Amino acid sequence: MKTNKTKLNDKVNFVAPKLNKDKLKKYMMGSKDRQGFLPMLIKYILLIGIGFVYLYPLLYMISTSLMSLDDLLDASIKWIPSQFYMGNYKNAFKVMNFWNSLKDSLILAGLPTLLQVATCAVIGYGFARFEFRGKKIMLAILIFSFILPAQVTMMPTYVLFTNLKLIGTLHAFNLPALLGQGIKAQIFILIFYQFFKQVPQALIEAAHIDGAGYFRSFFRISLPSAAPAILVVFLFSIVWYWNESYLTTLFISGKGTSSANAWTSLVVELKNFESIYEQYNQGSQQQLGNINESIKMAGTMLSILPLLLMYVFLQKYFVESIDRTGITGE
Amino acid sequence: MKKNRKSKLKRRESLMGYVFVAPWMIGALVFLIVPLIQSFYYSLQNVKITPKGRVFHFIKFQNYTDIFRLDPLFLEDLTGYLLDTLLSVPVIVVFSLIIAMLLNGKMKGKGLFRTIYFLPVIVVSGPVMAQLADQGAASIPAMNVSAITSILGDLLPNLLVEPIVGLFNNMIMVLWYSGVQILIFLAAIQKIDSTLYEAAKIDGGSGWECFWKITLPTIKPMILLNAVYTVIFLSNNEQNVIITSIYNDMFAINRGYGFASAKAWVYSLVVCLLVIFIALLLRNKKDNYITEVKKEKKRIQKIEKERRQLRNRQARRSKGLKREGSN
């Protein structure tokens, strides 16, 4: 860094000797209260470079999914296809039965999420606001259950759901969500816990003096102020439910049961994309071409497209709420 | 009277606490504690699914020994998982800290950059990542992995080379896994009081010093949190071979629930031990100042005790002298 600086200064001095050396140095390296040009430049280069690496799979996916078979085989075409070929999307669209799967995905992710947000808020409030015996142990169990891999409790839960005849129905997701045991519910409870701790106790006490009960002070005072936390939890929850294919295949699509039923989701379709593709080709009159990279990428793109769209719309609020949620605690 | 009313209020408060937490308590019982016990019970049984239902046959710890006897891949997978995780965790944590530092502070296009860097939080999912990795979109194309491999092969023992090469091969994947961690770090950094930095700058501290003396100590708990989160994320990930193998064993004819349960128990034990190891490694060591103060207090107490003993002895002796004198 130091050699760089002197070199730069020398060069500039040579070209324009009238320029104030100190001023330039200050401009380049920054002063105590202002960031300099050079660190800023490095920062931007780093951010853009790593940003590209971040976006690389996505860009790759988009570009490949738009390539026709000829483009795909042509070694000279790397990034930009010779024409925007939509055939892959058409094929993937048909094979994945897009509208139906989308509807299923929305329900599968949306309903448990709503339940999860509601119960986690209540539970988090309970932990944050009240003192009761055994709270510390309960919090310890909560954190322990976060560390524990879900696979340990999965089999008995599966048996339980089979006995209750819940496998293959949406209730297999709703019930745990309702009882604060949904996917990664522990994190959400902790987020709400942290957030409700920040609500000033005096505010709630004032409400009590004005005659509000426990529930009223929760619904009227604490909950409205928790809007950023609700948004963050909602977004995370829907994303995690959406992306969950393991439990979806186990509980909802019902792989192990005799009645593999109609419930599906975009991610599950993607997981079994190849076999579904083959099945489709065997089953239907109209044959599709052989599966290739581009079609797979188109399928991948389709399965995350709704999430991407949602993110584009919500990201501003999302980023803002992150700043205010106190996700991290103290 | 007053005390009574207060305790009544307290009792009502704690009762309301139970009411609010009740869903979780029921849930934890139904979906955590009972299944845990059942799962342990299964792991000691040979569970066969017959047309009449499940048939249990008690076989002690045979399932546990069978894992290593019948599934030679398991041990390999497990060591692979451990090495992978131990290598990925520092990379992910350090990387997300760097990104969070870069994203913090004033600059143009902050919103755009944040949008890009939070994107993996939304997109990352098992099948999507599997597809991307399949197509080779998970490794950075400009990086020459084979060169790295040959260099590492000379320097390191064989056991370590493979995971490191794997790490480089899946570099983008590793970066994509750090979405939530960036969020956590960013939120923590933003909470640091800016007056701290101002004071440090007035005293002549450079940005580098500020980072080591202010930022890092303040966010140290977050480093632990992120490391633990990363371990848990990597262990519960669908990309994880062990998870898939447990799932497959569950419905395999010759293995079944008992075998899968035993496997899950072994696996969770390993994960828990790993988390504990990392927690011990990164735990907040007690402040030097506080320990010094405690030492000093102990010393003073000790001196006081000796002094008291001395005084007592003297008093006794003088009493004795008096008695002698009176005699």
Side-chain angles (χ1 to χ4, degrees), chain B residues 85-239:
Chain B
T85 312
L86 283 175
L87 279 174
S88 318
V89 167
V91 173
I92 290 178
V93 169
V94 169
F95 174 77
S96 51
L97 180 58
I98 290 170
I99 295 293
M101 296 285 298
L102 286 175
L103 284 177
N104 192 32
K106 270 178 256 164
M107 58 172 169
K108 273 178 194 143
K110 194 164 143 189
L112 179 71
F113 282 126
R114 286 191 175 188
T115 309
I116 293 173
Y117 285 99
F118 293 166
L119 192 66
V121 180
I122 305 292
V123 174
V124 74
S125 87
V128 172
M129 292 316 282
Q131 287 288 354
L132 289 175
D134 256 12
Q135 308 304 332
S139 61
I140 301 168
M143 211 150 68
N144 195 348
V145 177
S146 57
I148 298 170
T149 318
S150 66
I151 294 170
L152 285 176
D154 296 338
L155 291 174
L156 290 168
N158 242 348
L159 185 69
L160 272 173
V161 172
E162 206 176 309
I164 291 178
V165 170
L167 191 70
F168 277 113
N169 263 330
N170 290 327
M171 204 60 193
I172 292 182
M173 209 111 105
V174 169
L175 302 192
W176 270 45
Y177 284 161
S178 47
V180 173
Q181 289 86 329
I182 292 175
L183 277 182
I184 292 174
F185 273 139
L186 193 60
I189 289 171
Q190 279 173 348
K191 272 204 184 143
I192 300 173
D193 201 347
S194 63
T195 51
L196 268 180
Y197 289 108
E198 279 164 26
K201 284 219 170 121
I202 287 167
D203 287 347
S206 66
W208 183 248
E209 281 168 329
C210 280
F211 172 73
W212 287 102
K213 302 279 179 199
I214 299 174
T215 314
L216 212 56
T218 325
I219 60 167
K220 205 173 168 217
M222 294 307 126
I223 295 177
L224 173 63
L225 181 79
N226 269 340
V228 169
Y229 178 84
T230 310
V231 172
I232 291 163
F233 179 83
L234 290 176
S235 339
N236 284 338
N237 200 279
E238 283 169 66
Q239 295 288 92

Side-chain angles (χ1 to χ4, degrees), chain A residues 32 35 40 43-44 46-51 53-58 60-61 119 122-123 125-127 129-134 138-139 141-142 144-163 175-176 178-181 184 187 189 198 208 214-215 218 235-236 239-240 243-246 249-250 255-257 267-268 270-271 273-274 293 296-297 300 303-304 307-308 310-311 315 318-319 322-323 325-330, chain B residues 9-10 12-14 16-21 23-28 30-33 35-36 38-39 42 54 95 99 101-109 111 113-128 131-132 134-141 172 175-176 178-180 182-185 187-188 190-191 201 204-205 222 225 228-229 232-233 235-236 238 243-244 246-248 250-251 257 260-261 264-265 267-268 271-272 275:
Chain A
K32 290 274 183 249
Q35 226 176 357
M40 209 62 171
K43 202 169 165 179
Y44 274 113
L46 271 177
L47 275 177
I48 292 170
I50 302 171
V53 172
Y54 251 77
L55 290 182
Y56 174 77
L58 215 63
Y60 178 88
M61 186 160 67
T119 45
V122 171
I123 294 162
Y125 185 75
F127 276 127
R129 165 82 176 76
F130 302 102
E131 291 299 325
F132 47 88
R133 205 183 262 191
M138 286 186 204
L139 283 172
I141 292 175
L142 186 78
F144 171 71
S145 71
F146 175 54
I147 295 171
L148 198 75
Q151 278 63 37
V152 190
T153 55
M154 203 176 62
M155 273 154 276
T157 313
Y158 184 77
V159 172
L160 176 76
F161 282 154
T162 321
N163 289 341
L175 200 63
L178 197 63
L179 294 175
Q181 302 288 329
K184 301 200 187 178
I187 297 180
I189 292 174
Q198 288 170 3
H208 271 293
Y214 289 103
F215 291 104
F218 170 64
L235 209 65
F236 269 125
V239 162
W240 280 333
N243 285 334
E244 180 65 57
S245 67
Y246 190 79
T249 37
L250 189 66
K255 182 190 172 188
T257 54
V267 182
V268 172
L270 181 67
K271 195 181 184 181
F273 193 69
E274 275 167 61
E293 222 176 286
K296 276 193 210 164
M297 285 291 111
T300 314
S303 79
I304 58 168
L307 283 184
L308 282 180
M310 185 184 75
Y311 182 62
Q315 57 88 12
F318 179 61
V319 171
I322 296 289
D323 292 350
T325 329
I327 252 182
T328 54
E330 236 71 79
Chain B
L9 185 71
K10 246 188 185 162
R12 218 170 59 194
E13 287 256 310
S14 76
M16 283 317 287
Y18 286 123
V19 169
F20 272 96
V21 183
W24 182 80
M25 281 160 73
I26 300 167
V30 175
F31 291 111
L32 183 72
I33 294 167
L36 262 184
Q38 271 180 321
S39 148
Y42 285 165
R54 287 177 198 82
F95 174 77
I99 295 293
M101 296 285 298
L102 286 175
L103 284 177
N104 192 32
K106 270 178 256 164
M107 58 172 169
K108 273 178 194 143
F113 282 126
R114 286 191 175 188
T115 309
I116 293 173
Y117 285 99
F118 293 166
L119 192 66
V121 180
I122 305 292
V123 174
V124 74
S125 87
V128 172
Q131 287 288 354
L132 289 175
D134 256 12
Q135 308 304 332
S139 61
I140 301 168
I172 292 182
L175 302 192
W176 270 45
S178 47
V180 173
I182 292 175
L183 277 182
I184 292 174
F185 273 139
Q190 279 173 348
K191 272 204 184 143
K201 284 219 170 121
M222 294 307 126
L225 181 79
V228 169
Y229 178 84
I232 291 163
F233 179 83
S235 339
N236 284 338
E238 283 169 66
I243 301 277
T244 331
I246 292 173
Y247 179 77
N248 289 337
M250 206 172 144
F251 296 109
Y257 287 11
S261 291
W265 268 95
Y267 180 55
S268 349
V271 173
C272 286
V275 168

Side-chain angles (χ1 to χ4, degrees), chain B residues 61-91:
Chain B
F61 288 100
Q62 204 192 318
N63 277 325
Y64 289 91
T65 49
D66 273 358
I67 297 172
F68 300 101
R69 203 166 54 86
L70 294 180
D71 200 342
L73 281 178
F74 181 68
L75 212 58
E76 211 171 286
D77 288 345
L78 207 60
T79 46
Y81 154 79
L82 272 175
L83 279 174
D84 265 358
T85 312
L86 283 175
L87 279 174
S88 318
V89 167
V91 173

